[in-house]
Amino acid sequence: MRNNTINHPSTENGILEIHNWKSTVNSYIELLSPIQLTLEYCHGILPDDFINILMLSPEQTFYYRTDAGTSLTKFNARPLHRHNFYELMIILEGEVYQQIEGNDYQYSTGTCCLIDRNTKHREKFSGEAKLLFIGLSADFIRQLLIEQTGYYFKNECLADNSIFRFIMDNISSEEQKNYLDIFPSFQNQNSIVRLHSLSDKLLHLMMSPSLGATYGIKSIVCELFEYLNDETLFHITPVKLKTKSDFLLFSRISHLLEDTDGDLSRSELADLLNYSGNYLNSIVKKYTGMCLYDYSLTFRLKKAAYLLTTTTDSISSMALKLNFSNKTHFYNLFKKKYGMSPGEYRKLSAFSDI
């Protein structure tokens, strides 16, 4: 592996080749290897801060360092780019904005984003943050598909994984412009520990390869995609470019409320999503016509309906478990939503099962 340590950017570094890099509209980045890793660290946005970029491929290592200040302003203002490979962004520390086709999306520690080959985008730093980008060529994915014919176990089918399936669909469609938003569930708020571990393994294998490193890299990529594909740990939302930018935030609000059966306060949601409670309330109002509190109640009532049909818990204990203020309040809200009392709902469900 040959090392290139320089203090200025380049249109070609043996890992990536940038076309139209002087364009004010968009540039095109070509991956010169089957796989590459880019570790970006922004120390902050003050003049004395700095940005480190480390790129790795099986053939090359490329290191770039610059001071922040005006350089960060230029970095964030660079033109959007697209590329001929698939790019998974993992936020290891802090938060960044991913600007996709002109819309800004906030990503914080433990979240991920998979960009296809056709979508124009750029990351923008707003403070201290560490990111890992994993670039995978179409040939890398095709090779995995070919190799799976020799896998030992039946449950190793790549098409069963939604991330691989997204990439496979894109390989067969040159015009598709979508991306995947990958957001940890409420029960997986410590996702960053596993993401750090898998990222460190990849970086170590790329920097210090030994016999079997190729298989190890492919194995970790599969392990990472399988971890992200676990529906109990992450919510994967395919986002089409025509989707409004705030709909993704509404989707994240809905996922967290679903994870907790609506038992999250406005302030708790604000802490989890890094937006003000008032703004979150306005987003919910826009898409549902309800305030955040009333929208949260729909998830609690949905859980109540489920418990009524699957358990023999008393209605009083159920109301207490779901944090309704009292039994009467629960009765009134349930009847307003379902048109019958909780007891009638349970009887009707039991009758329909006969």
Side-chain angles (χ1 to χ4, degrees), residues 179-183 235-239 247-248 251-252 255:
Y179 68 96
L180 294 182
D181 177 71
I182 305 173
F183 183 73
H235 297 292
I236 298 180
T237 303
V239 182
F247 180 78
L248 182 57
S251 175
R252 291 179 175 181
H255 283 315

Side-chain angles (χ1 to χ4, degrees), residues 1-50:
M1 182 183 294
R2 187 177 56 168
N3 294 325
N4 290 323
T5 303
I6 62 176
N7 58 5
H8 59 83
S10 173
T11 58
E12 182 177 357
N13 53 37
I15 302 174
L16 300 174
E17 183 174 354
I18 305 176
H19 303 270
N20 301 324
W21 69 279
K22 290 185 178 181
S23 170
T24 58
V25 181
N26 69 276
S27 58
Y28 179 74
I29 301 177
E30 182 181 359
L31 177 60
L32 305 177
S33 297
I35 181 174
Q36 69 92 12
L37 307 179
T38 297
L39 186 66
E40 293 184 3
Y41 174 65
C42 177
H43 186 259
I45 59 176
L46 298 176
D48 294 336
D49 290 324
F50 55 87

Side-chain angles (χ1 to χ4, degrees), residues 4-277:
N4 290 323
T5 303
I6 62 176
N7 58 5
H8 59 83
S10 173
T11 58
E12 182 177 357
N13 53 37
I15 302 174
L16 300 174
E17 183 174 354
I18 305 176
H19 303 270
N20 301 324
W21 69 279
K22 290 185 178 181
S23 170
T24 58
V25 181
N26 69 276
S27 58
Y28 179 74
I29 301 177
E30 182 181 359
L31 177 60
L32 305 177
S33 297
I35 181 174
Q36 69 92 12
L37 307 179
T38 297
L39 186 66
E40 293 184 3
Y41 174 65
C42 177
H43 186 259
I45 59 176
L46 298 176
D48 294 336
D49 290 324
F50 55 87
I51 304 172
N52 287 342
I53 299 177
L54 173 67
M55 291 186 185
L56 300 166
S57 78
E59 296 83 18
Q60 298 280 353
T61 299
F62 172 83
Y63 175 71
Y64 167 57
R65 178 189 174 101
T66 183
D67 294 332
T70 57
S71 296
L72 181 60
T73 301
K74 292 178 180 179
F75 182 85
N76 286 342
R78 71 198 187 284
L80 299 175
H81 65 270
R82 63 185 183 91
H83 36 62
N84 70 334
F85 56 95
Y86 302 93
E87 183 177 79
L88 177 67
M89 177 182 73
I90 302 174
I91 311 302
L92 297 173
E93 292 179 17
E95 66 177 36
V96 298
Y97 286 91
Q98 179 76 285
Q99 189 174 69
I100 302 175
E101 297 280 342
N103 291 322
D104 284 346
Y105 301 89
Q106 186 183 57
Y107 283 86
S108 55
T109 304
T111 59
C112 307
C113 177
L114 179 68
I115 301 287
D116 68 17
R117 296 177 296 173
N118 306 313
T119 302
K120 292 180 290 186
H121 64 285
R122 67 181 170 196
E123 72 277 13
K124 295 164 57 179
F125 289 107
S126 59
E128 185 174 7
K130 182 186 292 183
L131 325 177
L132 178 67
F133 294 92
I134 303 175
L136 303 173
S137 70
D139 286 342
F140 180 91
I141 301 300
R142 291 191 186 100
Q143 188 175 22
L144 286 179
L145 291 171
I146 293 171
E147 291 174 352
Q148 76 173 346
T149 58
Y151 290 171
Y152 295 153
F153 306 102
K154 294 181 180 179
N155 62 350
E156 292 185 278
C157 179
L158 298 184
D160 291 339
N161 182 283
S162 60
I163 301 176
F164 276 118
R165 194 162 56 246
F166 172 85
I167 296 176
M168 290 156 59
D169 289 344
N170 184 264
I171 287 178
S172 62
S173 174
E174 293 292 337
E175 298 181 358
Q176 179 174 301
K177 280 190 172 186
N178 298 331
Y179 68 96
L180 294 182
D181 177 71
I182 305 173
F183 183 73
S185 68
F186 181 78
Q187 292 78 12
N188 191 29
Q189 292 303 303
N190 206 26
S191 63
I192 192 58
V193 174
R194 182 80 182 279
L195 291 174
H196 259 295
S197 174
L198 292 171
S199 299
D200 288 345
K201 288 180 182 179
L202 266 180
L203 289 165
H204 177 75
L205 277 175
M206 197 74 80
M207 295 181 73
S208 303
S210 58
L211 184 63
T214 297
Y215 291 104
I217 289 170
K218 293 177 180 179
S219 174
I220 294 171
V221 169
C222 290
E223 184 180 355
L224 174 61
F225 282 12
E226 188 68 4
Y227 174 57
L228 297 176
N229 190 62
D230 189 329
E231 295 180 354
T232 66
L233 301 177
F234 289 91
H235 297 292
I236 298 180
T237 303
V239 182
K240 298 180 180 179
L241 290 186
K242 293 182 180 180
T243 302
K244 294 182 179 179
S245 59
D246 57 10
F247 180 78
L248 182 57
L249 179 56
F250 173 67
S251 175
R252 291 179 175 181
I253 293 170
S254 299
H255 283 315
L256 287 173
L257 291 177
E258 186 175 40
D259 291 340
T260 58
D261 300 319
D263 192 18
L264 273 180
S265 67
R266 180 186 295 197
S267 60
E268 288 172 326
L269 273 173
D271 289 340
L272 289 168
L273 295 171
N274 296 314
Y275 286 94
S276 73

Side-chain angles (χ1 to χ4, degrees), residues 270-293:
D271 289 340
L272 289 168
L273 295 171
N274 296 314
Y275 286 94
S276 73
N278 287 337
Y279 182 66
L280 296 179
N281 186 66
S282 69
I283 294 297
V284 170
K285 185 77 172 178
K286 174 180 177 179
Y287 284 99
T288 69
M290 294 182 280
C291 67
L292 181 55
Y293 176 76

